[in-house]
Structures are given as structure tokens and as C-alpha cells.
Amino acid sequence: MTNEIFRIFLKVAEYGSISKASESLYISQPALSQKLKNLEEELDCELFIRSNKGIELTEYGKIVRQYFLASEEIIEEMKKEIESRKNNILNIRIAATPTICNYSLPCVVYHLKQHYPNLQVELYSRNDSSVIGHEIINGRCDIGFISESIEYSKVLESKEVYREKIVLVGGTVDDKYPDFIDVKDLKRYDLMKISTDEDITKIISKNIDGVENLKFTYNLESIDAIKSCIINGYGLAFLPYSVIKKELYHKEVKIINIENIEMFQNVCLIKRNDNTAGLEKVIQYTRRHISEFIC
């Protein structure tokens, strides 16, 4: 179903050759070249640099490729949604920051599927709340969970659904870390930052003055990698409580209390207020029970 020019352009970009793309698509080279020329005329820019070695994308061509790929992805999502609707399957797409997506939401999804057997859930991990807000506005996701305030448009509705403590975590190896520290002593320790969760970084910055002067030795994408480093005694990290519950139970890590400082992420469920595609009952059920699900 994908627009023919999408397929032609992307194949030429993939092969770097009009002749190879022509063979792959079973279109004559003159016809294919004419379609590319028509596209360039329509966009009023040169999309390819042609040489004896083949063709490559111009800067304009790279922009077109990015949008054509995104369009193909949206069309595939549309097909899946139509097929789900034909089979009487509810499909809900949920976006959240990594710590929420990977540690709080799987339990939520389990309970949702128990209550709504025909429900299919897709989880998407995103770096910060503003990205999630844009995906809800653009219809790429149905609901999102955010922990940092964003500029809400008139089409978004937000409601706080639970509150979670952000704690400083250290390993129990050799008992090298104290149970209590003063905030000024933080600069003595190696710290780890989750590079893929900007919301956590923002919460820390709001609660602790001079964060930029602390010694963030590790900047890691993986939460599991951070936990492994903590367990091995490589440093400390600020993490949501739900992320380290299992390790606390097994006494692999401990919470280090900071004098006179407590940090929380207030998690809100956001959705479009004009169209929930028949998912309103699911969303309301989630709002009512989510704090029970993640305990």
C-alpha cells in the first residue's frame, strides 16, 4: 500500500544505483528516473548526486529519506491497528521514560491483560517527558507516563497517578558506604548517571544545588549496567525505588539517606482529550489502579 514514490526513492537510496533499484522493483530505468525527476521538481531541490560510481543522497535527499522512512513506519502501524480492529482486539500504545517503562509498567500491563483479555499493549521507552508529550499529540502513542512538567497543548489531558521516591543507592560490598551522608559529602563519591532518562537528571538538579560540581564518573544508557556497577562497589546512583526493590531484598544494595533531602517523581498519565479510540475504559481502569499494580 506504500506510496510508489516512497518505495522507488528508498530503493535507490539503499542500492546507490538506479539500475539495481530498477531491477529490484521491476520498473524500467527511464520510468524510474522520470519519477525521481518529478519528485525533485515537486520539492524544488536536488536529491541525488550522480556520478560514474553511482548516486548518493544530497543533504536534501537525506531529509526526504528520513521522512519517507517515518511515513512507511506509520503506514505499517496503521495496517496493524486496522487488523486488530477487525479481530476485535484493543491495541494501546504506551510511552514512558526508561525507569518507568522497564520497572513499573510491566506489572501494570500484566494486570491490564488479566482484566481485558483482548488487549494488546505496546511499550515504548523515551528519554524525557517532552518527547512523550509530542508523541501523544502526534498520535504515535495513546497514553504516556511522565514525571516532569511539560507545556501542555489544548489537546492533552494530564492527571497524577502515583508518586515514587528517588533514592541514593550504594553497594553493600565491604560496607564501604555510610547509611547517612550530608549533601556536601556527595562530591567525595563516584556517581553514575542514566543517560537515557533525562527526567531523573532534572529531578536531581532541582533538589540538589551544585549538581554540576559532583563527580559523575559513569554516564550509562543501561539501568541494569548501573545496578551492576553499584553492586560491585564502583559508585553511587540516584534511582527510583521500584528499580532496586529486588536488589534491596537480596541485600546487594542499600539506600543512603541524605540529610534533609528527599526527592520524588510525581508520575502523571497523559492522553489526548479528543480521541482515545475506544480505550477510555482501559485508561480509566489504569488511572484508578496503577498505584496498586506497582506496589
Side-chain angles (χ1 to χ4, degrees):
M1 177 179 173
T2 305
N3 192 304
E4 183 184 32
I5 194 59
F6 288 11
R7 292 187 296 110
I8 289 173
F9 179 89
L10 292 173
K11 278 295 181 185
V12 172
E14 177 186 349
Y15 287 121
S17 165
I18 288 178
S19 60
K20 289 182 180 178
S22 172
E23 292 176 10
S24 173
L25 295 168
Y26 302 103
I27 300 174
S28 69
Q29 288 189 42
L32 190 149
S33 295
Q34 185 59 52
K35 289 181 184 295
L36 292 177
K37 182 180 178 182
N38 292 343
L39 178 62
E40 288 180 319
E41 290 176 354
E42 182 180 348
L43 297 176
D44 192 25
C45 62
E46 190 176 15
L47 302 177
F48 298 97
I49 300 171
R50 297 161 174 84
S51 69
N52 293 333
K53 296 180 180 179
I55 61 175
E56 60 183 57
L57 294 176
T58 64
E59 290 303 310
Y60 299 119
K62 291 175 183 177
I63 293 172
V64 172
R65 180 178 180 274
Q66 176 184 345
Y67 279 93
F68 277 8
L69 286 171
S71 299
E72 279 201 324
E73 186 177 328
I74 290 171
I75 290 170
E76 287 305 311
E77 290 176 4
M78 177 190 69
K79 289 179 182 178
K80 286 170 61 178
E81 187 167 339
I82 290 172
E83 190 63 27
S84 295
R85 201 61 66 85
K86 285 179 180 178
N87 294 320
N88 198 30
I89 294 173
L90 279 174
N91 188 54
I92 188 167
R93 299 160 299 175
I94 304 174
T97 51
T99 51
I100 297 173
C101 184
N102 296 330
Y103 291 90
S104 297
L105 290 188
C107 191
V108 174
V109 169
Y110 171 79
H111 285 281
L112 279 175
K113 289 183 71 66
Q114 293 297 304
H115 196 75
Y116 298 99
N118 290 335
L119 184 67
Q120 285 189 348
V121 182
E122 297 176 22
L123 293 181
Y124 299 99
S125 178
R126 299 294 182 253
N127 282 13
D128 62 46
S129 291
S130 60
V131 172
I132 294 168
H134 286 303
E135 294 215 344
I136 304 298
I137 291 171
N138 295 331
R140 299 298 306 279
C141 290
D142 301 299
I143 63 174
F145 291 92
I146 64 173
S147 56
E148 276 293 297
S149 60
I150 61 175
E151 292 184 8
Y152 294 104
S153 74
K154 293 180 180 179
V155 302
L156 284 185
E157 177 186 316
S158 172
K159 184 175 182 180
E160 185 175 323
V161 287
Y162 72 94
R163 192 168 185 247
E164 182 168 32
K165 193 169 185 179
I166 306 296
V167 293
L168 181 63
V169 185
T172 55
V173 175
D174 299 329
D175 200 26
K176 63 190 292 186
Y177 300 113
D179 294 329
F180 293 86
I181 64 170
D182 191 277
V183 66
K184 69 177 184 297
D185 294 326
L186 270 175
K187 61 179 179 291
R188 296 169 43 201
Y189 298 99
D190 292 313
L191 297 173
M192 286 165 270
K193 182 188 295 185
I194 310 171
S195 62
T196 53
D197 199 325
E198 294 296 328
D199 282 12
I200 298 297
T201 301
K202 291 174 185 175
I203 292 169
I204 297 167
S205 298
K206 286 179 181 178
N207 285 272
I208 297 178
D209 293 331
V211 168
E212 64 279 3
N213 297 320
L214 298 179
K215 188 168 54 173
F216 284 97
T217 308
Y218 303 94
N219 191 25
L220 303 173
E221 294 183 0
S222 165
I223 300 167
D224 285 340
I226 287 179
K227 291 199 292 183
S228 177
C229 288
I230 293 171
I231 290 170
N232 285 288
Y234 300 157
L236 311 177
F238 290 97
L239 296 171
Y241 179 79
S242 61
V243 169
I244 46 98
K245 284 196 296 186
K246 183 180 76 172
E247 289 77 15
L248 279 173
Y249 177 80
H250 291 292
K251 298 182 179 180
E252 295 174 307
V253 303
K254 69 178 183 178
I255 294 172
I256 300 170
N257 296 285
I258 305 174
E259 299 286 353
N260 301 317
I261 289 181
E262 281 192 319
M263 290 182 281
F264 295 89
Q265 60 174 351
N266 300 313
V267 180
C268 295
L269 186 154
I270 61 171
K271 71 177 187 70
R272 289 177 64 95
N273 55 28
D274 59 347
N275 178 22
T276 50
L279 294 168
E280 193 58 40
K281 287 184 179 180
V282 177
I283 293 170
Q284 293 303 325
Y285 180 80
T286 304
R287 279 178 168 172
R288 287 196 303 269
H289 298 287
I290 187 170
S291 60
E292 304 166 22
F293 297 159
I294 64 173
C295 289

